[in-house]
């Protein structure tokens, strides 16, 4: 999984406005997608992922409020940040309608280039952070999957080994014993939770001596004779 170039969707029924926004947003590191109607905007959102949408409110057939409400009602598009573009003044009624429709902000026309670029930059940075997090989560999941697969292969190899094998942790907890161990000793892993429990059960009064010999084996380095 690699990081893709972020996309910004601009929705406006005025072709001149769209052209102006494309030219302005080209100063940022992003792909600009244009839509001249609400239906075109909805179709674009189905086809791709957007870091941000600039959405004109006053459009024929389907206005910006309707578009925003439809997007927010669909789980696949509900997380697209929407900034409304409006020619109306920022009165309380307009503000309430903007945020009720699900927009994160609005900009009044005529647009100020520095305001548009500043707000777009913020959401591009947020989108990049989300992509990095998504990438790290994917990598972590891939590592966990590989670890599970390696452990499964390891256990399978040990279980089929031609010698008896016991695996235990540093604190003496028995993690697994292979099939041949169980056949030769008659003990399964559930019958002996630790090395101490095994030696006590298998050797009785000689358990302490056997434990000492086992612990001595951990100090061996280099090659020893087979069977020793």
């Amino acid at each position: 999984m690699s990081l893709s170039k972020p996309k910004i969707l601009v929705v406006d029924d005025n072709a001149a406005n769209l052209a102006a926004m494309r030219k302005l947003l080209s100063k940022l590191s992003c792909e600009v997608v244009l839509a001249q109607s609400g239906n075109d905007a909805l179709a674009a959102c189905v086809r791709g992922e957007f870091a941000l949408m600039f959405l004109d409110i006053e459009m024929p057939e389907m206005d910006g409020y309707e578009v925003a409400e439809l997007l927010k009602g669909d789980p696949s598009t509900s997380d697209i940040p929407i900034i409304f573009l409006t020619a109306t003044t920022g009165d309380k009624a307009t503000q309430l309608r903007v945020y009720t429709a699900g927009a994160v902000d609005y900009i009044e026309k005529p647009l100020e280039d520095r305001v548009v670029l500043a707000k777009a930059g913020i959401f591009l940075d947020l989108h990049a952070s989300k992509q990095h997090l998504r990438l790290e989560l994917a990598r972590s999941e891939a590592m966990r999957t590989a670890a599970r697969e390696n452990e499964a292969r390891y256990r399978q190899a040990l279980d089929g080994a031609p010698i008896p094998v016991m695996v235990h942790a540093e604190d003496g907890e028995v993690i697994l014993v292979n099939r041949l161990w169980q056949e030769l000793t008659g003990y399964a892993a559930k019958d002996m939770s630790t090395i101490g429990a095994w030696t006590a059960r298998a050797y009785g009064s000689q358990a302490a001596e056997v434990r000492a010999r086992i612990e001595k084996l951990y100090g061996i380095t280099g090659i020893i004779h087979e069977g020793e």
Side-chain angles (χ1 to χ4, degrees):
M1 180 180 177
S2 59
L3 296 180
S4 58
K5 193 171 185 178
K7 295 190 292 185
I8 293 179
L9 177 61
V10 183
V11 188
D12 198 311
D13 61 306
N14 187 304
N17 291 342
L18 290 178
M21 285 290 283
R22 181 197 287 276
K23 182 178 180 180
L24 176 60
L25 295 173
S26 66
K27 298 177 181 180
L28 302 174
S29 180
C30 66
E31 178 184 345
V32 181
V33 178
L34 306 179
Q36 206 163 349
S37 71
N39 285 324
D40 290 344
L42 296 175
C45 291
V46 170
R47 293 192 299 268
E49 178 182 0
F50 292 96
L52 177 63
M53 176 190 296
F54 285 106
L55 178 58
D56 185 34
I57 292 180
E58 293 83 15
M59 294 189 298
E61 297 182 13
M62 185 187 302
D63 65 23
Y65 295 127
E66 294 175 277
V67 175
E69 288 164 357
L70 288 171
L71 291 173
K72 294 303 176 182
D74 186 338
S76 66
T77 57
S78 61
D79 61 346
I80 300 175
I82 298 173
I83 295 179
F84 277 133
L85 306 178
T86 175
T88 59
T89 58
D91 56 78
K92 295 293 184 182
T94 300
Q95 292 177 12
L96 179 61
R97 184 74 192 278
V98 163
Y99 296 120
T100 301
V104 296
D105 203 351
Y106 69 94
I107 304 175
E108 295 181 11
K109 297 179 180 180
L111 305 179
E112 291 188 38
D113 290 358
R114 60 184 180 83
V115 173
V116 173
L117 293 176
K119 291 182 183 291
I122 291 171
F123 286 97
L124 289 177
D125 288 343
L126 288 173
H127 182 73
S129 297
K130 286 172 59 178
Q131 282 198 310
H132 280 293
L133 178 58
R134 192 181 303 167
L135 182 59
E136 289 304 314
L137 290 174
R139 285 174 177 168
S140 297
E141 181 57 33
M143 291 175 65
R144 286 193 293 269
T145 299
R148 287 194 295 267
E149 292 174 351
N150 288 337
E151 181 181 2
R153 286 194 291 268
Y154 174 70
R155 286 177 177 270
Q156 185 176 11
L158 284 181
D159 196 51
I163 57 173
V165 177
M166 171 193 284
V167 178
H168 66 83
E170 289 185 4
D171 62 0
E173 179 187 1
V174 175
I175 298 173
L176 67 87
V177 294
N178 72 345
R179 184 170 58 251
L180 186 55
W181 176 285
Q182 295 180 60
E183 291 173 357
L184 291 176
T185 66
Y187 298 126
K190 63 182 176 61
D191 299 321
M192 44 191 183
S193 58
T194 64
I195 293 294
W198 164 59
T199 53
R201 184 167 184 172
Y203 294 97
S205 61
Q206 296 179 305
E209 178 187 349
V210 173
R211 281 291 304 278
R213 288 166 56 191
I214 290 174
E215 291 171 0
K216 184 178 179 181
L217 290 174
Y218 292 126
I220 293 177
T221 59
I223 300 174
I224 62 172
H225 296 294
E226 183 177 353
E228 186 174 337

